[in-house]
Amino acid sequence: MLDKSYRPQEVEGKLYSRWMEQGAFACGRNDSEDAFTIVIPPPNVTGNLHMGHALNNTLQDILVRFERMRGKDVLWQPGTDHAGIATQMVVERQLAEQGITRHDLGREKFIEKIWEWKEKSGGSIIGQLHRLGASCDWNRERFTMDEGLSKAVRKVFVQLYKENLIYRDKRLVNWDPKFHTAISDLEVEQKEVNSHMWHFNYPIEGGDGRFITVATTRPETMLGDTGIAVHPDDDRYKELVGKYVILPIVGRRIPIVADEYADPEQGSGAVKITPAHDFNDFEVGKRAGLDVINILDENACLNDTVPEKYRGMDRFAARKEIVAEIEALGLLNKIEDHTHMVPYGDRSGVVIEPYLTDQWFADAATLAQPAIRAVESGQTKFVPSKWTNTYYDWMRNIQPWCISRQLWWGHRIPAWFGPDGKIFVEETEEEAFAAAEAHYGKREELTQDNDVLDTWFSSALWPFSTLGWPDKTPELDKYYQTDVLITGFDIIFFWVARMMMMGLHFMDEVPPFHTVYIHALVRDEHGAKMSKSKGNVVDPLDLVDKYGADALRFFLSASAAQGRDVRLSEQRVEGYRNFTTKLWNAARFCEMNECAVPEGFDPFTAEQPVNRWIIGEVAKCEAAVREALEGKRDGYRFNDASNAVYSFTWNVFCDWYLEFAKIPFQGDDEAAKAETKATAAWVLDEILKILHPFMPFITEELWLTLGAKRDADLVVSDWPVYPDTAIDENADAEMVWVQDLISGIRAVRSEMNVPAGAKIPMIFNDGSEAHKTRLENHWNVISRMARLESKAIDVALPKGSLQFVHDGATVGLALAGAMDLDAEKARLDKEIGKLNGYITGLNKKLGNEKFVSGAPEHVVAAEKEKLAEADVKMAKLKDAAERLSEL
């Protein structure tokens, strides 16, 4: 027997453990040749579940549960990423509390400490995904530093190196002066900073006191200037191109070059070029053949290439000293207040420097070509399609990929240096020594490169390394190519594109997935991006604790419209908790009325129109959900699927069918009663099946509690399949006619403010014989649900009646005896007057330019919404008043 209320806190953990014990999520549970594979975007081992994870994993789980129920051999491959810099930082911070550094321990001992931390504390996000209901095959959980995945990483690095697609070079990278490593663009956070723009005068060589003015936000970098660029079409400087200026403080001659990078409309139109400390300047320097002078060390202090007084000085201290010296030399033109974006390390919190250093690079431009063609040919498509151009823009302008990191935690680069600096790249140390011996003719000492690989390098192999590659495993053969990748737009470049490059290169030109579904951001209720600094971050587990996992999941799926950000509304999450309550109460109603599916019951032979109609509605609901989740038309439409099952369950089944069913339940027709009880139980079972991918916990709890004999748990039950005859158009037309009649009467009662308990006479005129038959057959339902006292057919309307047209017939409602018409007219006049004042106030407020331009966007939007709602209400009140005036 069902409890009076559903308590998710008591159910969710119990059911998840049951599923795990049964191996319900394991791939290979059935021998279907039709496989369906999704790889989880591996969360950082240091991470905690946030709203982006909750959305991403909910959408994956919906597809996985749906396809599992459809009989496919489903693999949802889980795992975590070793998260190089983030993990190293966690353990270094713990050591610092003990007064120890990683250098005190040494590399091997430090890495041992990280593994110890990983085993004890790492991967807490996996347990949080369990709470969300994620049905991954957890027995196959992988970690990007597992030996199998490390083997794949070494194989890929060595092969690409020997194909000349990985090389070592001196180039600019994003350098973190705190962690002493190159970092990726994704790890750089751009922050708006109020600072200054300094304008310096550089003397023109032999110019008799002439200057060229340049501007900079980083005065300290001027010590590394090796040129000045002007636009080739800028008439002000044409005569100066090819001449030199004398670099102040340093005294170095640097050339004036023509390059389109210089913008004649910005500042003086002349730009100082520091190739070693600015990415754009580096490219200008290459085009112009300028020297590249690195003036910083790994701590972002000035090195020995600068004048002696500045050597060893911190970059920001040097900034002040350089400005003071420029001013003392009479070369400071002006200083302006200036707001600009400054790159910070998202982990270290320090300003990142473009830094010239030896690093390992992948030839991304060559690797990108097959990945571009795969999307152009339709082998892989993006949903929504607008992200295709984003992908193309980046891939067609891709730069060499810096794959090395100056960290200790990660995949150590399989490269060894000989005594003369020659590099030997092999999968194992033994193979490297063998290659070196073959080269030198004797055994020589080798030193392995200290650097590790960018985390994205190993995660780029995720779709096939997790399946056992480079070994030829049965899993690789069956589950690759994977089906759909669900991820956020922010890692299209960093992960999606790189998986495409690696997958096509190493898996016989087969892309790693046929569809990339890009979900939107989860923002706060006002549409602002969530951030700790704004204090608007919401922990999804807090919502799970409060409303249950099903309510949060359903909110996320119902909100996941393609291309539209999700605005997190706790009120809406609460609303979907109410949906679980509605479903629970409907199940209790069926249970109390002894609804059950008898053995041998065939719903498609039902005779009662109301039962034939609801069976057809079930089939329509299933078709809508299936079409939206299959992704064949317009991609995956999670919101459409969610809204279809929500609307059917709440509006059609609960609000209409169960109300209709009360008549046979309470009647004397035993055959109609038995059929309706069986149909109600069957429909409830079908709802549980269709709703399960979205709300797995409550549906499973109801399935197990209500069913006396179930062949299997709902999680592994079959998805519904219905015959073409499931929809009875005649029954559909008949019951829709009844619903519309009831709805029309209810609308009039509401508009006219008829007391809820008042029963009123109805007059039905000019209807067809078929309409009259329907009215007669369903009078018990119509009279009860519309609160009618009596019916009369084809008679004159009494005074004080209000009428409306229903499917060609005239329906009259005798209101005079059910309410005080004069009092109602007075009430309406009062309501209209009061609302008119409210609307006038809103219009005045929104007409105030100061308010509209000064108030926060969400406040203005809220006022506009209030006005729209008030206008709708006013129209209804005036319509009601007009109707009353005619009585």
Side-chain angles (χ1 to χ4, degrees):
M1 187 73 180
L2 290 174
D3 291 338
K4 188 173 182 180
S5 59
Y6 174 61
R7 291 181 288 276
Q9 296 79 7
E10 298 176 11
V11 167
E12 292 173 355
K14 172 193 72 175
L15 287 177
Y16 201 87
S17 296
R18 177 186 175 99
W19 293 330
M20 292 283 282
E21 288 166 7
Q22 292 179 350
F25 308 151
C27 65
R29 290 186 77 260
N30 61 49
D31 56 6
S32 173
E33 292 300 314
D34 193 2
F36 181 83
T37 312
I38 288 182
V39 292
I40 198 171
N44 286 356
V45 70
T46 59
N48 285 301
L49 191 74
H50 58 61
M51 274 300 170
H53 290 132
L55 172 62
N56 182 291
N57 286 279
T58 293
L59 301 185
Q60 292 177 78
D61 194 47
I62 288 169
L63 292 186
V64 161
R65 289 178 182 269
F66 168 67
E67 296 293 2
R68 187 182 290 124
M69 292 177 75
R70 294 218 296 167
K72 293 184 181 179
D73 183 5
V74 170
L75 169 60
W76 185 8
Q77 176 62 55
T80 50
D81 190 281
H82 64 278
I85 195 168
T87 305
Q88 181 162 319
M89 184 176 71
V90 167
V91 178
E92 284 199 73
R93 190 183 295 132
Q94 291 177 347
L95 291 175
E97 292 172 358
Q98 304 168 38
I100 303 172
T101 71
R102 63 181 164 119
H103 300 285
D104 294 332
L105 291 177
R107 186 173 190 134
E108 288 188 15
K109 291 288 185 184
F110 177 69
I111 290 173
E112 285 178 14
K113 288 288 184 185
I114 295 183
W115 277 109
E116 287 174 14
W117 173 86
K118 191 264 178 184
E119 294 306 316
K120 291 179 183 176
S121 308
S124 63
I125 194 170
I126 297 301
Q128 294 168 339
L129 288 172
H130 288 190
R131 291 203 56 200
L132 192 65
S135 61
C136 301
D137 187 346
W138 297 110
N139 290 326
R140 292 187 52 82
E141 184 181 340
R142 297 292 184 265
F143 179 54
T144 49
M145 290 282 286
D146 285 348
E147 176 48 39
L149 275 67
S150 297
K151 178 181 177 182
V153 167
R154 293 191 297 270
K155 167 79 173 174
V156 166
F157 186 95
V158 172
Q159 182 173 326
L160 290 177
Y161 177 80
K162 293 183 177 181
E163 293 172 349
N164 296 318
L165 293 172
I166 281 180
Y167 57 93
R168 191 166 171 81
D169 195 10
K170 187 181 288 289
R171 292 179 63 93
L172 281 192
V173 295
N174 296 309
W175 183 260
D176 190 314
K178 179 177 180 180
F179 290 135
H180 297 164
T181 181
I183 61 175
S184 72
D185 290 343
L186 187 64
E187 295 162 310
V188 176
E189 183 181 0
Q190 297 291 340
K191 294 183 181 179
E192 189 173 79
V193 172
N194 295 321
S195 182
H196 300 93
M197 180 74 78
W198 289 270
H199 297 257
F200 296 163
N201 291 334
Y202 284 11
I204 298 171
E205 184 183 48
D208 300 324
R210 293 175 65 197
F211 301 94
I212 191 166
T213 302
V214 296
T216 182
T217 58
R218 300 162 67 213
E220 66 278 11
T221 65
M222 62 87 61
L223 300 179
D225 288 356
T226 60
I228 290 178
V230 296
H231 196 279
D233 298 330
D234 194 333
D235 292 335
R236 294 172 295 176
Y237 300 115
K238 278 188 175 179
E239 62 166 311
L240 294 178
V241 173
K243 297 186 184 301
Y244 290 82
V245 299
I246 304 301
L247 183 64
I249 300 177
V250 179
R252 186 166 58 241
R253 293 171 75 241
I254 61 175
I256 300 171
V257 301
D259 194 283
E260 292 184 352
Y261 170 66
D263 184 354
E265 303 298 322
Q266 293 292 321
S268 68
V271 184
K272 63 186 281 301
I273 302 299
T274 320
H277 297 288
D278 183 276
F279 289 102
N280 291 316
D281 290 6
F282 183 77
E283 297 301 323
V284 175
K286 279 202 304 184
R287 291 193 291 268
L290 300 178
D291 291 338
V292 181
I293 302 174
N294 180 15
I295 65 167
L296 297 176
D297 64 15
E298 63 179 13
N299 297 302
C301 293
L302 275 66
N303 61 24
D304 291 346
T305 63
V306 303
E308 189 170 352
K309 66 175 288 189
Y310 292 105
R311 292 175 187 174
M313 191 177 291
D314 175 79
R315 54 186 162 164
F316 297 121
R319 175 178 296 182
K320 294 178 182 178
E321 294 294 326
I322 286 168
V323 171
E325 185 169 351
I326 289 286
E327 186 173 19
L329 291 170
L331 298 176
L332 180 62
N333 184 290
K334 61 180 177 179
I335 301 175
E336 296 176 315
D337 290 337
H338 183 67
T339 300
H340 64 121
M341 303 306 289
V342 175
Y344 283 78
D346 66 348
R347 302 285 180 182
S348 66
V350 301
V351 175
I352 297 304
E353 285 290 342
Y355 185 61
L356 189 67
T357 179
D358 289 314
Q359 300 285 347
W360 290 91
F361 293 89
D363 181 357
T366 299
L367 290 168
Q369 296 312 306
I372 292 170
R373 290 194 295 271
V375 176
E376 289 175 335
S377 66
Q379 282 182 281
T380 298
K381 67 176 182 177
F382 281 81
V383 178
S385 59
K386 70 173 184 177
W387 294 110
T388 306
N389 288 332
T390 303
Y391 174 82
Y392 286 151
D393 287 345
W394 191 71
M395 293 291 273
R396 289 168 178 164
N397 297 285
I398 198 168
Q399 298 298 308
W401 171 17
C402 177
I403 57 174
S404 48
R405 298 290 181 268
Q406 289 65 56
L407 301 171
W408 287 357
W409 173 244
H411 294 100
R412 194 168 179 181
I413 290 176
W416 287 260
F417 296 92
D420 56 358
K422 182 170 176 58
I423 301 174
F424 300 91
V425 173
E426 300 292 345
E427 292 184 43
T428 65
E429 186 176 56
E430 292 76 13
E431 290 172 343
F433 271 98
E437 188 169 349
H439 174 74
Y440 293 116
K442 60 179 181 176
R443 190 171 180 86
E444 293 280 6
E445 284 300 311
L446 300 179
T447 303
Q448 187 174 358
D449 196 313
N450 279 319
D451 290 354
V452 299
L453 285 163
D454 176 13
T455 299
W456 297 106
F457 190 92
S458 51
S459 58
L461 318 182
W462 189 250
F464 53 94
S465 65
T466 52
L467 297 174
W469 188 92
D471 297 337
K472 294 190 178 299
T473 65
E475 292 84 2
L476 188 67
D477 182 58
K478 184 165 190 179
Y479 301 112
Y480 191 91
Q481 172 191 51
T482 73
D483 286 84
V484 56
L485 175 76
I486 298 180
T487 188
F489 69 85
D490 52 338
I491 54 175
I492 291 176
F493 312 144
F494 304 100
W495 190 45
V496 177
R498 287 163 179 167
M499 283 190 289
M500 289 287 286
M501 290 190 280
M502 294 300 192
L504 285 157
H505 194 81
F506 289 96
M507 296 301 295
D508 300 322
E509 300 184 6
V510 176
F513 22 73
H514 60 67
T515 302
V516 181
Y517 178 91
I518 302 295
H519 64 72
L521 283 175
V522 182
R523 298 181 177 272
D524 72 10
E525 61 182 330
H526 303 306
K529 189 173 181 178
M530 291 188 187
S531 70
K532 291 179 181 177
S533 61
K534 292 179 182 176
N536 61 349
V537 174
V538 178
D539 185 339
L541 294 180
D542 288 344
L543 295 176
V544 170
D545 289 338
K546 196 169 182 180
Y547 302 111
D550 289 329
L552 176 61
R553 287 169 59 108
F554 206 89
F555 162 75
L556 292 169
S557 63
S559 304
Q562 289 181 16
R564 192 170 70 218
D565 286 343
V566 176
R567 290 196 179 196
L568 180 60
S569 163
E570 185 168 344
Q571 187 177 7
R572 285 192 63 200
V573 178
E574 183 180 13
Y576 290 120
R577 191 273 310 275
N578 296 342
F579 178 48
T580 65
T581 301
K582 184 84 169 180
L583 177 64
W584 188 265
N585 289 340
R588 290 188 74 241
F589 173 81
C590 290
E591 185 182 48
M592 287 187 292
N593 281 279
E594 300 178 337
C595 297
V597 180
E599 192 171 344
F601 174 69
D602 182 357
F604 306 106
T605 61
E607 296 181 357
Q608 297 296 314
V610 68
N611 294 329
R612 296 202 306 274
W613 160 74
I614 194 62
I615 289 163
E617 292 299 304
V618 171
K620 292 177 189 177
C621 173
E622 184 279 330
V625 172
R626 171 169 38 84
E627 185 183 71
L629 294 185
E630 280 180 326
K632 293 178 180 177
R633 184 177 70 82
D634 302 326
Y636 299 91
R637 294 174 286 111
F638 294 96
N639 61 316
D640 288 347
S642 305
N643 292 332
V645 68
Y646 177 93
S647 178
F648 171 72
T649 303
W650 190 304
N651 301 329
V652 179
F653 180 67
C654 296
D655 286 355
W656 284 110
Y657 178 73
L658 292 184
E659 290 299 318
F660 289 161
K662 288 177 181 177
I663 299 301
F665 283 178
Q666 297 162 8
D668 298 327
D669 187 334
E670 292 301 324
K673 181 185 296 185
E675 180 186 283
T676 304
K677 287 185 176 184
T679 301
W682 179 84
V683 172
L684 181 58
D685 276 358
E686 302 307 289
I687 287 173
L688 298 181
K689 293 175 187 175
I690 298 168
L691 189 56
H692 178 75
F694 307 89
M695 290 183 155
F697 292 110
I698 188 173
T699 52
E700 185 72 89
E701 180 69 3
L702 288 172
W703 179 263
L704 295 174
T705 307
L706 293 175
K709 295 179 181 177
R710 301 290 195 189
D711 294 332
D713 283 12
L714 183 55
V715 66
V716 291
S717 293
D718 293 337
W719 184 260
V721 177
Y722 307 122
D724 295 338
T725 57
I727 299 173
D728 184 327
E729 293 183 1
N730 291 329
D732 186 63
E734 183 169 342
M735 298 313 300
V736 168
W737 185 91
V738 171
Q739 290 172 67
D740 288 348
L741 176 58
I742 294 169
S743 296
I745 297 169
R746 285 174 167 177
V748 170
R749 292 181 66 111
S750 176
E751 287 174 19
M752 297 298 104
N753 203 35
V754 177
K759 291 192 173 185
I760 55 177
M762 182 191 80
I763 300 91
F764 188 84
N765 292 340
D766 305 322
S768 68
E769 289 305 313
H771 291 164
K772 293 173 184 175
T773 300
R774 287 175 179 172
L775 182 63
E776 200 63 47
N777 289 343
H778 298 284
W779 173 247
N780 285 342
V781 165
I782 295 168
S783 62
R784 185 176 59 80
M785 294 183 70
R787 303 293 291 168
L788 298 177
E789 179 184 70
S790 60
K791 68 176 184 298
I793 299 175
D794 293 333
V795 299
L797 293 176
K799 191 173 186 229
S801 295
L802 193 148
Q803 62 186 19
F804 66 93
V805 175
H806 172 57
D807 198 15
T810 300
V811 179
L813 300 174
L815 302 180
M819 57 189 295
D820 185 332
L821 299 181
D822 291 334
E824 179 59 15
K825 288 176 185 176
R827 185 191 72 81
L828 285 173
D829 288 342
K830 184 177 179 181
E831 280 284 310
I832 290 170
K834 183 179 176 182
L835 188 59
N836 192 53
Y838 178 67
I839 290 173
T840 301
L842 287 173
N843 277 319
K844 185 176 180 181
K845 194 173 189 179
L846 290 168
N848 183 338
E849 181 59 34
K850 189 174 180 181
F851 167 75
V852 174
S853 60
E857 186 178 336
H858 71 271
V859 172
V860 177
E863 294 301 299
K864 288 180 178 179
E865 189 174 340
K866 289 177 187 176
L867 180 59
E869 291 173 354
D871 285 338
V872 170
K873 186 176 180 181
M874 178 64 84
K876 289 182 177 180
L877 288 173
K878 286 183 175 180
D879 183 56
E882 188 176 340
R883 287 193 183 205
L884 274 179
S885 68
E886 297 172 356
L887 297 180

